[in-house]
Amino acid sequence: MAQARAALLFSVVHMLGCEGAATGKEEILPPATNDRPIVGILSQEQSFYLHSKYPEENYTSYIAASYVKDVEASGARVVPILIGKPRSYYEELLKKLNGVLLPGGATYFNQSNGYADAGQYIYEIAMKMNDAGDYFPIFGTCLGFELLIILASGRGEPENRIRCYSYSNMPLDFTPDFRNSKMFAEAPDELVDILANEEVTVNAHQFCIVDKNLNAFNLTKDWQVTSYSDDDFDVQFIATIEHTRYPFYGVQFHPEKNSFEWKLSKKYPHSYSAIKANRYFMDFFVNECRRNVHTFANAAEENKYAIYNYEAKFTGVLGSQHHECYFFEPRGLKN
């Protein structure tokens, strides 16, 4: 009953918004009433480096534990979403989840039945849900943010992103209208000041989205850029973005690394201000997930899907950039 009421409320508001009665900051959102949110995190293909550390298991996919911890620190539980499944798997799972996190990583978008194919299913299903008045948020980090824009572009060739290299900690250059966004409308001034003036956002990417990527596919009406950063060669790239209609959000940097990744050579900022500022992003997203009222059938079903069924392995001691990782679906040694 609660789910039906929330969906009806959003549907009415959505229709009013399309007619211009409620737009921008005046948009009325479903109340954040779900105090037991469950967030799905999409796994991705096993990296070559991690595969070399577990050759006998030959795992199909993994999730860095820092994403799981980041979600849990904001008051939600996690369900892993596996790659390589039919569309029906994602359709059924999203009916039980309250939002999806598309994590960063180092996989490619042209591998069949992988991260990008699963991400496309999730993106299309989430759009359909929102169009039906079922408020369903997505948050993309780094690679996940790039995937959101590439999917919005039609996922054609060449991919709608550019090469850029950033392995630095940087501040954000906010746009003049960044406060007219859902992500930053209520962000405390203190946190905005830290993000704008201190080198606290962790960047680790070889691709990025720039203004010309949005312009090339007429995405500027659908996506609002709220900040930029410069890569190691002074290329200005989009650092934060959100969809103007759907509750879809993206950041090019890694808010999860400040609190939960510890490789010394990476020099991630772990200061109090860096932790405090970067916590904001997952806190914001999980609060968006509280607006969704999907549920599992019962506690037993929740437990069946939960991340707690898997053991986080200490991969940092093996030289990985990830302190811990969860691994899924071992295939064993190939003949």
Side-chain angles (χ1 to χ4, degrees):
M1 182 64 71
Q3 182 173 343
R5 287 199 299 269
L8 178 60
L9 172 62
F10 179 73
S11 180
V12 172
V13 170
H14 176 69
M15 290 187 291
L16 290 173
C18 291
E19 296 299 323
T23 59
K25 291 181 67 176
E26 297 178 355
E27 180 183 5
I28 301 173
L29 300 177
T33 58
N34 182 359
D35 290 333
R36 296 176 57 86
I38 300 181
V39 174
I41 301 181
L42 180 61
S43 67
Q44 63 185 270
E45 293 86 343
Q46 183 74 295
S47 70
F48 177 79
Y49 182 84
L50 287 174
H51 181 272
S52 71
K53 302 302 178 183
Y54 301 97
E56 294 185 2
E57 292 86 349
N58 191 20
Y59 292 109
T60 302
S61 63
Y62 81 101
I63 293 174
S66 52
Y67 293 102
V68 176
K69 294 176 183 178
D70 207 27
V71 169
E72 291 179 335
S74 294
R77 287 166 294 162
V78 169
V79 164
I81 303 176
L82 305 181
I83 61 173
K85 304 299 181 183
R87 185 185 179 99
S88 58
Y89 163 85
Y90 304 100
E91 288 176 334
E92 289 304 310
L93 191 52
L94 263 61
K95 292 177 184 177
K96 307 173 189 295
L97 300 174
N98 305 119
V100 169
L101 171 61
L102 303 177
T107 189
Y108 292 98
F109 294 155
N110 58 1
Q111 300 182 68
S112 297
N113 297 316
Y115 175 84
D117 285 354
Q120 182 168 350
Y121 287 142
I122 291 167
Y123 183 81
E124 292 171 351
I125 295 165
M127 285 198 299
K128 186 176 180 180
M129 284 180 168
N130 282 287
D131 286 339
D134 184 0
Y135 196 84
F136 193 91
I138 297 177
F139 191 96
T141 298
C142 197
L143 188 76
F145 158 50
E146 294 166 21
L147 181 60
L148 284 174
I149 299 304
I150 286 175
L151 292 174
S153 307
R155 200 182 165 192
E157 293 290 344
E159 291 179 344
N160 189 29
R161 57 179 177 171
I162 70 165
R163 278 278 187 180
C164 68
Y165 301 87
S166 182
Y167 295 91
S168 304
N169 307 317
M170 292 181 289
L172 299 180
D173 181 12
F174 287 103
T175 60
D177 64 344
F178 81 101
R179 286 291 192 185
N180 295 326
S181 67
K182 292 191 288 291
M183 186 186 293
F184 293 112
E186 298 181 6
D189 290 339
E190 177 189 6
L191 298 189
V192 170
D193 184 66
I194 294 171
L195 291 166
N197 295 291
E198 298 184 29
E199 296 176 346
V200 296
T201 65
V202 175
N203 289 269
H205 53 91
Q206 298 183 32
F207 294 92
C208 60
I209 306 295
V210 296
D211 284 342
K212 74 176 183 180
N213 295 121
L214 300 186
N215 293 328
F217 287 84
N218 298 315
L219 299 180
T220 54
K221 291 183 179 180
D222 295 330
W223 294 87
Q224 179 187 358
V225 178
T226 49
S227 74
Y228 296 91
S229 290
D230 295 330
D231 83 345
D232 296 343
F233 298 93
D234 295 326
V235 174
Q236 184 187 65
F237 61 87
I238 297 170
T240 57
I241 200 168
E242 67 180 54
H243 201 280
T244 58
R245 179 180 175 190
Y246 302 122
F248 298 167
Y249 309 93
V251 299
Q252 185 66 72
F253 50 93
H254 289 266
E256 80 287 349
K257 290 186 182 294
N258 301 82
S259 293
F260 303 112
E261 297 291 7
W262 297 98
K263 190 165 186 176
L264 284 169
S265 63
K266 298 299 183 180
K267 299 181 179 179
Y268 300 138
H270 298 299
S271 67
Y272 175 72
S273 61
I275 302 298
K276 186 175 182 179
N278 280 277
R279 272 252 49 85
Y280 174 79
F281 295 98
M282 196 50 58
D283 287 346
F284 167 81
F285 175 61
V286 168
N287 201 51
E288 284 288 276
C289 294
R290 289 188 175 95
R291 303 182 192 281
N292 180 280
V293 291
H294 293 175
T295 62
F296 284 83
N298 48 51
E301 188 182 37
E302 288 180 359
N303 293 338
K304 177 182 176 181
Y305 283 89
I307 193 73
Y308 313 125
N309 291 290
Y310 303 89
E311 177 187 359
K313 296 184 181 295
F314 184 12
T315 49
V317 75
L318 302 177
S320 172
Q321 64 173 311
H322 300 302
H323 200 65
E324 292 180 297
C325 289
Y326 292 92
F327 298 98
F328 308 101
E329 297 187 317
R331 293 166 289 187
L333 289 171
K334 296 180 180 178
N335 294 329

